[in-house]
Amino acid sequence: MASNGKEPRSGSPNRAGTGTEPSPTADAAQLDTTEDFEVLEEEEEEEDLSELPPLEDVGRPPAPPREDAQPAGEAAEDPQEWVDVLGSGLLKKKTLVPGQGVDTRPRKGQDVTVRLKARLEDGSVVEEDPALTFTLGDCDVLQALDLCVQLLEMGETALIRSDAKYCYGSQGRSPDIPPNAALTLEVELLAAQDGPDLELLSGKEKVELANRKRERGNFFYQQADYVLAINSYDTAIKVISSSSKGTCSHPAKATWAPFPLQLISGVFAVDFSPEEETELLDVKVKCLNNLAASQLKLDHYEAALKSCNLVLEHQPGNIKALFRKGKVLAQQGEYREAIPILKAALKLEPSNKTIHAELSKLVKKHADQRSLETEMYRKMLGNPSAASTPGKCKDKLPWSIPWKWLFGATAIALGGVALSVVIAARN
């Protein structure tokens, strides 16, 4: 987590997309932000950029002996000095100043501090930070930086050339980084230390850390990288859910807590103020809501339904959770269950046009589904001509008329039997 003593600019590598909430013109408008709730029409899914090859522990290959010395200022670049980090040619690393040995490389989960300078291909500097601190492996920064810093030795300075895929992608970063822009990063590893013990964090510290992870998830959601978005939201939830050590001055809290202990395990084991407890729940709900939105994008319906239900257990009137739960059920073809949930959401916010549109769409789909089922029953019962009956009879069960015929036939048969008995008695 950042600890360089200054507020990073919006969209910087360590806070890309975290200074502002998702744009209301994108799918990210569905996220929990300070903006009004709005859900836009579904956009076409972009290429999933999250399936990255595994990062291998590659070292710097020795440079071959050079036969001809180049004149000063005209040294040709040796392509073999570059390490192809992922084997695709899209992410490369070259050592400028050697470090203190392989054993000094940082580990995932540690907080690392680096000196960073980022340039576009034309050489213009778009980012510069003398002491950028982040948690390695948590996707808190550009993927290019997160992947390559794991290969740096303490004190090493390296150049990293990255395709836009591992930087700001097809959206870029307004106004200084255009879409699909490759970047060259100059990075020096200054320090690495174990991250903070989550169990020892105060309520305020947990809220701040979880919010940073959540905002990073919002950035990945904007980039349509839903796998990494889920990773960030999960990390934020783990921060809040981590058990807290300490003595409890309010042992009765467990009885009046607004949510069960299994949701935020250990939150009530320490003396958090009511304001901190409220903030913790608020961040938890936002992360779960955004987690459901990302899971829905990946068609992980069961997981999204679980996330929505966790929100609704503690906030039954949460409109976003109701809306997304309705969409999940609709995607599963459960229109009968989805419609009343969307009606409940609409009742809470009657002016929401998006809910109106979704509800109308589901009602039509449900009607079509019932029509198909009715036609199927008619064919099963051998009464296909019933389709031509007047509209006022369509709501009747397809077997109502045959039952009437059957009842009449039964009555006639019983009458015939009774008449036969009377005649036999007379004879």
Side-chain angles (χ1 to χ4, degrees):
M1 50 187 171
S3 59
N4 55 1
K6 67 177 182 178
E7 184 68 22
R9 56 174 295 183
S10 170
S12 62
N14 62 317
R15 297 290 178 269
T18 64
T20 57
E21 296 293 352
S23 168
T25 62
D27 279 340
Q30 299 186 36
L31 299 179
D32 280 289
T33 67
T34 56
E35 302 169 0
D36 292 336
F37 171 58
E38 180 183 8
V39 183
L40 304 183
E41 295 180 357
E42 296 291 338
E43 299 179 355
E44 293 184 2
E45 294 290 343
E46 299 182 12
E47 179 185 0
D48 188 6
L49 306 181
S50 60
E51 296 297 329
L52 305 181
L55 179 62
E56 297 180 358
D57 189 10
V58 291
R60 176 195 174 198
R66 303 172 62 181
E67 298 179 356
D68 299 320
Q70 297 291 332
E74 299 180 9
E77 185 178 88
D78 189 342
Q80 295 189 37
E81 291 183 352
W82 289 90
V83 174
D84 191 347
V85 177
L86 300 176
S88 62
L90 300 180
L91 184 62
K92 297 180 179 181
K93 166 189 171 291
K94 182 175 75 170
T95 298
L96 299 180
V97 178
Q100 301 171 13
V102 176
D103 293 340
T104 64
R105 288 178 176 175
R107 304 183 307 274
K108 287 186 178 181
Q110 286 189 314
D111 284 348
V112 297
T113 301
V114 301
R115 176 183 62 82
L116 173 69
K117 182 179 289 187
R119 294 185 176 91
L120 295 174
E121 290 180 303
D122 62 5
S124 57
V125 177
V126 292
E127 193 67 42
E128 193 166 8
D129 195 325
L132 168 62
T133 300
F134 60 94
T135 303
L136 191 60
D138 272 10
C139 302
D140 291 342
V141 291
L142 298 178
Q143 290 184 64
L145 192 59
D146 207 21
L147 292 171
C148 291
V149 168
Q150 300 178 47
L151 301 179
L152 294 183
E153 301 171 3
M154 189 60 60
E156 178 181 351
T157 299
L159 282 182
I160 298 171
R161 285 185 176 173
S162 174
D163 183 79
K165 179 176 183 178
Y166 305 114
C167 294
Y168 291 93
S170 60
Q171 295 191 14
R173 187 188 71 185
S174 181
D176 52 355
I177 300 180
N180 300 311
L183 291 181
T184 298
L185 311 175
E186 182 180 323
V187 185
E188 179 185 1
L189 180 58
L190 303 176
Q193 61 183 4
D194 292 338
D197 188 341
L198 299 180
E199 296 182 346
L200 299 179
L201 295 180
S202 66
K204 182 179 180 180
E205 290 171 330
K206 282 191 174 186
V207 168
E208 290 177 351
L209 180 56
N211 265 327
R212 285 200 294 271
K213 306 296 184 182
R214 176 182 63 85
E215 289 166 354
R216 187 62 183 171
N218 290 358
F219 166 75
F220 286 126
Y221 190 98
Q222 282 184 296
Q223 299 291 331
D225 201 334
Y226 306 115
V227 171
L228 290 181
I230 288 174
N231 177 77
S232 293
Y233 296 137
D234 275 335
T235 302
I237 293 171
K238 288 177 182 177
V239 170
I240 299 176
S241 302
S242 58
S243 298
S244 299
K245 299 176 182 178
T247 58
C248 181
S249 61
H250 301 285
K253 281 183 178 180
T255 61
W256 57 260
F259 43 88
L261 291 178
Q262 61 265 28
L263 175 63
I264 302 183
S265 175
V267 163
F268 300 105
V270 295
D271 188 18
F272 290 163
S273 68
E275 291 78 13
E276 289 175 333
E277 293 167 5
T278 300
E279 284 186 282
L280 286 169
L281 176 60
D282 181 60
V283 177
K284 180 84 171 187
V285 165
K286 286 181 178 181
C287 289
L288 286 170
N289 255 330
N290 293 353
L291 184 62
S294 302
Q295 291 164 336
L296 188 57
K297 285 290 187 180
L298 296 175
D299 297 337
H300 296 170
Y301 299 130
E302 293 300 326
L305 190 61
K306 181 179 179 181
S307 298
C308 292
N309 286 335
L310 282 173
V311 175
L312 295 173
E313 283 179 12
H314 316 294
Q315 293 185 359
N318 190 291
I319 297 176
K320 295 177 184 178
L322 287 170
F323 179 83
R324 292 189 181 113
K325 182 175 181 179
K327 289 201 70 173
V328 170
L329 292 172
Q331 291 290 343
Q332 295 177 315
E334 302 292 343
Y335 303 127
R336 187 186 300 274
E337 296 182 32
I339 289 174
I341 291 175
L342 289 179
K343 285 183 177 179
L346 190 61
K347 185 176 181 181
L348 292 171
E349 194 170 318
S351 61
N352 193 300
K353 296 180 180 179
T354 304
I355 301 178
H356 265 293
E358 186 69 20
L359 183 58
S360 299
K361 183 171 63 177
L362 286 190
V363 169
K364 183 179 184 303
K365 286 184 177 180
H366 188 216
D368 293 342
Q369 185 185 58
R370 292 181 61 186
S371 177
L372 288 174
E373 290 176 353
T374 301
E375 185 65 25
M376 179 183 68
Y377 293 149
R378 286 172 178 164
K379 291 180 179 179
M380 290 173 61
L381 295 171
N383 187 27
S385 61
S388 60
T389 56
K392 63 180 181 179
C393 298
K394 286 184 178 181
D395 293 333
K396 296 181 180 180
L397 294 176
W399 52 80
S400 58
I401 295 178
W403 270 110
K404 291 180 180 179
W405 292 347
L406 180 60
F407 180 81
T410 302
I412 294 172
L414 290 176
V417 172
L419 181 60
S420 299
V421 171
V422 172
I423 294 174
R426 289 181 177 179
N427 292 336

